[in-house]
Amino acid sequence: MINIAIDGTAGSGKGTISKLLAKKLGYYHLDTGAIYRSLTYFLIQEKVDLNDEKEICKTLEKIDFKVQFEKDKDGNQVQKNLLFGEDLKNKIRTEEISVSTSIISKFDCVRKFATKIQHELASKYDLIIEGRDIGTVVLPNADYKFFLTAKPEIRAKRRAEQLNQPQNYNKILKDIIERDEADMKRKSSPLKRADDAILIDNSFQTAFQTLSEMISYIK
Ligand code: DC
């Protein structure tokens, strides 16, 4: 199987670009952030204290969670994040989930759980796999590795537009800076560029420009 790892900071365009690249190459696109977000959704539903590692690990033992790939009626690929059979869809895209996910994703049992799912899918499908620790920890032998980033102000502006909340720009910027810090400083699988990953700062690029730069590296 061919696996292309795309890591990067929050709001760096990883999602958009991974989808475009997957479509171009005919691969599946695995959004690993959605796995961490789904686990967070479950833990919040279960009213677990998100700072209590022991309780989190115990609660995760009873979860029924699966990732499934499907095609929609237009032939686009969709990733279903199934919690006890229910596709969580946009329920995992709120700012509350974003902030809470950053807290729980530092725990080893959470990372182990999510990594196992990623390994299973990577061994079964040609994948564009998008996350924070793919090139460093999950798939250190990925066929290609990219690390995307952009200036925090630009990432906040993109997120605010994506959420249709331009009035919340300052809060979103603050959350992005705090999330970068938390993701980079955690002991377990921190957000870090793999030594052999191609670094792309797309602050002043359109998604299509970033895409064509990436394609120029792929043989
Ligand atoms: O990419 P995203 O914004 O959906 O990710 C949400 C959170 O999940 C982010 O704060 C860090 C965490 N995450 C992670 O720790 N490892 C990954 N491979 C993907 C996401």
Side-chain angles (χ1 to χ4, degrees):
M1 292 294 135
I2 307 278
N3 294 145
I4 300 181
I6 303 186
D7 291 303
T9 48
S12 62
K14 293 184 306 269
T16 307
I17 288 154
S18 301
K19 277 194 195 85
L20 291 170
L21 189 60
K23 200 161 182 188
K24 174 111 191 143
L25 299 177
Y27 291 6
Y28 282 111
H29 161 226
L30 176 62
D31 168 6
T32 63
I35 302 175
Y36 289 95
R37 285 170 181 271
S38 302
L39 302 184
T40 307
Y41 179 89
F42 171 66
L43 294 167
I44 291 175
Q45 235 187 8
E46 292 290 303
K47 302 196 169 33
V48 174
D49 172 356
L50 298 183
N51 289 298
D52 187 339
E53 181 173 4
K54 229 167 132 187
E55 204 190 336
I56 288 177
C57 299
K58 213 171 116 216
T59 309
L60 280 184
E61 283 172 16
K62 55 179 190 185
I63 196 176
D64 169 5
F65 176 75
K66 280 188 202 70
V67 169
Q68 223 173 58
F69 295 126
E70 282 182 14
K71 296 258 170 166
D72 69 11
K73 57 180 176 8
D74 301 319
N76 295 313
Q77 178 227 308
V78 272
Q79 173 178 331
K80 293 198 162 178
N81 302 294
L82 302 172
L83 181 62
F84 293 94
E86 181 203 346
D87 182 7
L88 293 177
K89 295 190 174 162
N90 281 341
K91 288 184 180 167
I92 56 172
R93 302 288 163 199
T94 64
E95 269 305 290
E96 186 206 0
I97 298 278
S98 297
V99 173
S100 306
T101 305
S102 203
I103 301 171
I104 66 125
S105 59
K106 64 176 180 276
F107 297 126
D108 278 338
C109 65
V110 173
R111 303 212 71 82
K112 227 164 131 181
F113 186 96
T115 301
K116 185 164 175 266
I117 298 174
Q118 295 167 51
H119 281 158
E120 282 166 9
L121 293 165
S123 66
K124 231 162 109 184
Y125 301 104
D126 290 328
L127 276 190
I128 308 295
I129 170 164
E130 169 217 333
R132 300 289 193 290
D133 60 336
I134 312 302
T136 49
V137 176
V138 179
L139 298 172
N141 296 320
D143 298 86
Y144 296 95
K145 298 181 188 179
F146 294 95
F147 190 91
L148 303 187
T149 192
K151 294 181 192 308
E153 294 76 14
I154 289 183
R155 292 187 277 127
K157 189 165 164 269
R158 289 177 184 159
R159 246 312 126 87
E161 277 166 11
Q162 198 179 40
L163 294 170
N164 211 4
Q165 296 175 1
Q167 72 282 11
N168 289 341
Y169 168 83
N170 286 330
K171 159 98 175 66
I172 292 172
L173 176 61
K174 185 171 161 278
D175 284 352
I176 277 189
I177 292 171
E178 282 174 8
R179 209 136 69 87
D180 284 354
E181 279 258 316
D183 291 348
M184 285 191 265
K185 283 198 180 145
R186 68 168 174 247
K187 267 202 275 90
S188 186
S189 304
L191 166 66
K192 185 173 161 283
R193 177 170 84 92
D195 293 336
D196 54 350
I198 296 159
L199 174 69
I200 300 181
D201 182 326
N202 58 27
S203 296
F204 303 107
Q205 285 181 332
T206 63
F208 284 100
Q209 284 168 331
T210 307
L211 183 69
S212 57
E213 184 174 342
M214 289 167 78
I215 287 170
S216 73
Y217 291 106
I218 300 172
K219 294 186 193 76

Short mmCIF file of all heavy atoms in Angstrom, two decimals, residues 9 102-103 105-107 111 132 176-193:
data_model
loop_
_atom_site.label_atom_id
_atom_site.label_comp_id
_atom_site.label_asym_id
_atom_site.label_seq_id
_atom_site.Cartn_x
_atom_site.Cartn_y
_atom_site.Cartn_z
N THR A 9 0.30 22.09 11.53
CA THR A 9 -0.35 22.83 12.61
C THR A 9 -1.86 22.98 12.34
O THR A 9 -2.31 22.80 11.21
CB THR A 9 0.29 24.22 12.71
OG1 THR A 9 0.36 24.78 11.39
CG2 THR A 9 1.69 24.16 13.27
N SER A 102 -7.43 18.70 22.27
CA SER A 102 -6.03 19.00 22.54
C SER A 102 -5.63 18.53 23.95
O SER A 102 -4.50 18.12 24.18
CB SER A 102 -5.83 20.51 22.39
OG SER A 102 -4.52 20.78 22.12
N ILE A 103 -6.59 18.57 24.87
CA ILE A 103 -6.30 18.14 26.25
C ILE A 103 -6.15 16.62 26.33
O ILE A 103 -5.17 16.11 26.84
CB ILE A 103 -7.43 18.61 27.21
CG1 ILE A 103 -7.55 20.13 27.17
CG2 ILE A 103 -7.20 18.10 28.63
CD1 ILE A 103 -8.76 20.69 27.90
N SER A 105 -5.67 14.41 23.92
CA SER A 105 -4.80 13.70 22.96
C SER A 105 -3.38 13.56 23.48
O SER A 105 -2.55 12.94 22.83
CB SER A 105 -4.84 14.37 21.59
OG SER A 105 -4.43 15.71 21.68
N LYS A 106 -3.10 14.11 24.66
CA LYS A 106 -1.76 13.91 25.20
C LYS A 106 -1.62 12.58 25.96
O LYS A 106 -0.51 12.16 26.27
CB LYS A 106 -1.36 15.07 26.11
CG LYS A 106 -2.20 15.25 27.36
CD LYS A 106 -1.62 16.39 28.19
CE LYS A 106 -2.39 16.64 29.47
NZ LYS A 106 -3.57 17.50 29.29
N PHE A 107 -2.74 11.93 26.25
CA PHE A 107 -2.65 10.72 27.06
C PHE A 107 -2.29 9.49 26.22
O PHE A 107 -2.83 9.28 25.12
CB PHE A 107 -3.98 10.48 27.80
CG PHE A 107 -4.30 11.58 28.78
CD1 PHE A 107 -5.51 12.25 28.74
CD2 PHE A 107 -3.36 11.96 29.74
CE1 PHE A 107 -5.81 13.27 29.64
CE2 PHE A 107 -3.64 12.98 30.64
CZ PHE A 107 -4.87 13.64 30.59
N ARG A 111 -3.70 7.90 22.54
CA ARG A 111 -2.88 7.83 21.32
C ARG A 111 -2.77 6.38 20.83
O ARG A 111 -2.80 6.11 19.64
CB ARG A 111 -1.49 8.42 21.55
CG ARG A 111 -1.53 9.87 22.03
CD ARG A 111 -0.35 10.66 21.54
NE ARG A 111 -0.41 10.91 20.11
CZ ARG A 111 -1.12 11.89 19.55
NH1 ARG A 111 -1.82 12.73 20.27
NH2 ARG A 111 -1.11 12.03 18.24
N ARG A 132 -0.85 14.86 13.08
CA ARG A 132 0.20 15.62 13.77
C ARG A 132 1.48 14.80 13.91
O ARG A 132 2.56 15.35 13.96
CB ARG A 132 -0.27 15.98 15.19
CG ARG A 132 -1.51 16.82 15.29
CD ARG A 132 -1.22 18.22 14.82
NE ARG A 132 -2.28 19.16 15.18
CZ ARG A 132 -3.48 19.17 14.64
NH1 ARG A 132 -3.80 18.31 13.72
NH2 ARG A 132 -4.38 20.07 15.01
N ILE A 176 -5.80 28.87 18.61
CA ILE A 176 -4.83 28.24 17.70
C ILE A 176 -3.43 28.28 18.31
O ILE A 176 -2.71 27.28 18.30
CB ILE A 176 -4.87 28.94 16.30
CG1 ILE A 176 -6.01 28.34 15.49
CG2 ILE A 176 -3.54 28.81 15.57
CD1 ILE A 176 -6.04 28.74 14.04
N ILE A 177 -3.08 29.45 18.87
CA ILE A 177 -1.74 29.58 19.46
C ILE A 177 -1.60 28.63 20.66
O ILE A 177 -0.60 27.94 20.82
CB ILE A 177 -1.46 31.06 19.85
CG1 ILE A 177 -1.34 31.89 18.56
CG2 ILE A 177 -0.19 31.18 20.69
CD1 ILE A 177 -1.28 33.40 18.76
N GLU A 178 -2.68 28.55 21.47
CA GLU A 178 -2.62 27.66 22.64
C GLU A 178 -2.57 26.20 22.22
O GLU A 178 -1.89 25.38 22.82
CB GLU A 178 -3.86 27.89 23.52
CG GLU A 178 -3.71 29.16 24.36
CD GLU A 178 -4.96 29.50 25.15
OE1 GLU A 178 -5.93 28.69 25.18
OE2 GLU A 178 -4.98 30.60 25.71
N ARG A 179 -3.30 25.88 21.14
CA ARG A 179 -3.35 24.49 20.68
C ARG A 179 -2.00 24.07 20.10
O ARG A 179 -1.53 22.96 20.35
CB ARG A 179 -4.45 24.37 19.62
CG ARG A 179 -5.08 23.02 19.56
CD ARG A 179 -6.59 23.11 19.45
NE ARG A 179 -7.05 23.64 18.19
CZ ARG A 179 -7.27 22.90 17.11
NH1 ARG A 179 -6.99 21.60 17.11
NH2 ARG A 179 -7.77 23.43 16.03
N ASP A 180 -1.35 24.98 19.35
CA ASP A 180 -0.01 24.69 18.83
C ASP A 180 0.93 24.35 19.99
O ASP A 180 1.66 23.37 19.94
CB ASP A 180 0.60 25.93 18.13
CG ASP A 180 0.00 26.18 16.75
OD1 ASP A 180 -0.79 25.35 16.28
OD2 ASP A 180 0.35 27.22 16.14
N GLU A 181 0.86 25.20 21.02
CA GLU A 181 1.73 25.03 22.20
C GLU A 181 1.51 23.66 22.82
O GLU A 181 2.45 22.93 23.08
CB GLU A 181 1.34 26.08 23.27
CG GLU A 181 1.93 27.43 23.05
CD GLU A 181 3.12 27.64 23.98
OE1 GLU A 181 3.04 27.29 25.18
OE2 GLU A 181 4.13 28.12 23.45
N ALA A 182 0.20 23.36 23.06
CA ALA A 182 -0.14 22.10 23.72
C ALA A 182 0.30 20.92 22.85
O ALA A 182 0.86 19.94 23.34
CB ALA A 182 -1.63 22.04 24.00
N ASP A 183 0.04 21.03 21.54
CA ASP A 183 0.37 19.91 20.63
C ASP A 183 1.89 19.71 20.53
O ASP A 183 2.37 18.59 20.41
CB ASP A 183 -0.20 20.18 19.23
CG ASP A 183 -1.73 20.10 19.18
OD1 ASP A 183 -2.34 19.64 20.16
OD2 ASP A 183 -2.32 20.51 18.15
N MET A 184 2.64 20.83 20.58
CA MET A 184 4.09 20.72 20.42
C MET A 184 4.80 20.33 21.71
O MET A 184 5.87 19.76 21.67
CB MET A 184 4.66 22.05 19.90
CG MET A 184 4.35 22.25 18.43
SD MET A 184 5.23 23.61 17.69
CE MET A 184 4.07 24.92 17.80
N LYS A 185 4.16 20.68 22.84
CA LYS A 185 4.86 20.46 24.11
C LYS A 185 4.52 19.13 24.78
O LYS A 185 5.16 18.77 25.76
CB LYS A 185 4.55 21.62 25.07
CG LYS A 185 5.35 22.85 24.70
CD LYS A 185 5.38 23.82 25.85
CE LYS A 185 6.16 25.06 25.50
NZ LYS A 185 5.57 26.25 26.13
N ARG A 186 3.48 18.44 24.27
CA ARG A 186 3.10 17.22 25.00
C ARG A 186 4.21 16.17 24.86
O ARG A 186 4.92 16.14 23.86
CB ARG A 186 1.76 16.69 24.51
CG ARG A 186 1.78 16.16 23.12
CD ARG A 186 0.54 15.38 22.76
NE ARG A 186 0.63 15.07 21.36
CZ ARG A 186 -0.17 15.54 20.42
NH1 ARG A 186 -1.17 16.34 20.74
NH2 ARG A 186 0.02 15.20 19.17
N LYS A 187 4.31 15.33 25.91
CA LYS A 187 5.41 14.35 25.95
C LYS A 187 5.18 13.26 24.92
O LYS A 187 6.09 12.79 24.24
CB LYS A 187 5.49 13.74 27.35
CG LYS A 187 6.49 14.49 28.23
CD LYS A 187 6.98 13.61 29.36
CE LYS A 187 6.14 13.58 30.53
NZ LYS A 187 5.28 13.26 31.32
N SER A 188 3.91 12.81 24.82
CA SER A 188 3.61 11.68 23.96
C SER A 188 3.32 12.17 22.53
O SER A 188 2.39 12.93 22.31
CB SER A 188 2.39 10.96 24.55
OG SER A 188 2.12 9.80 23.86
N SER A 189 4.13 11.74 21.57
CA SER A 189 3.93 12.08 20.14
C SER A 189 3.65 13.56 19.90
O SER A 189 2.60 13.92 19.37
CB SER A 189 2.75 11.29 19.56
OG SER A 189 2.93 9.95 19.74
N PRO A 190 4.57 14.45 20.25
CA PRO A 190 4.30 15.87 20.01
C PRO A 190 4.22 16.20 18.53
O PRO A 190 4.74 15.44 17.70
CB PRO A 190 5.49 16.58 20.65
CG PRO A 190 6.58 15.56 20.68
CD PRO A 190 5.91 14.22 20.81
N LEU A 191 3.57 17.31 18.23
CA LEU A 191 3.53 17.81 16.86
C LEU A 191 4.93 18.26 16.50
O LEU A 191 5.48 19.16 17.12
CB LEU A 191 2.57 19.00 16.79
CG LEU A 191 2.63 19.85 15.53
CD1 LEU A 191 2.17 19.06 14.32
CD2 LEU A 191 1.77 21.09 15.68
N LYS A 192 5.51 17.62 15.49
CA LYS A 192 6.91 17.88 15.15
C LYS A 192 7.12 17.46 13.71
O LYS A 192 6.57 16.44 13.28
CB LYS A 192 7.76 17.02 16.09
CG LYS A 192 9.25 17.23 16.00
CD LYS A 192 9.91 16.43 17.12
CE LYS A 192 11.36 16.19 16.87
NZ LYS A 192 11.67 15.17 15.91
N ARG A 193 7.92 18.22 12.98
CA ARG A 193 8.22 17.82 11.60
C ARG A 193 9.22 16.67 11.65
O ARG A 193 10.24 16.76 12.33
CB ARG A 193 8.81 19.00 10.84
CG ARG A 193 9.22 18.64 9.43
CD ARG A 193 9.56 19.87 8.63
NE ARG A 193 10.92 20.32 8.83
CZ ARG A 193 11.96 19.93 8.09
NH1 ARG A 193 11.79 19.08 7.10
NH2 ARG A 193 13.16 20.41 8.33
#
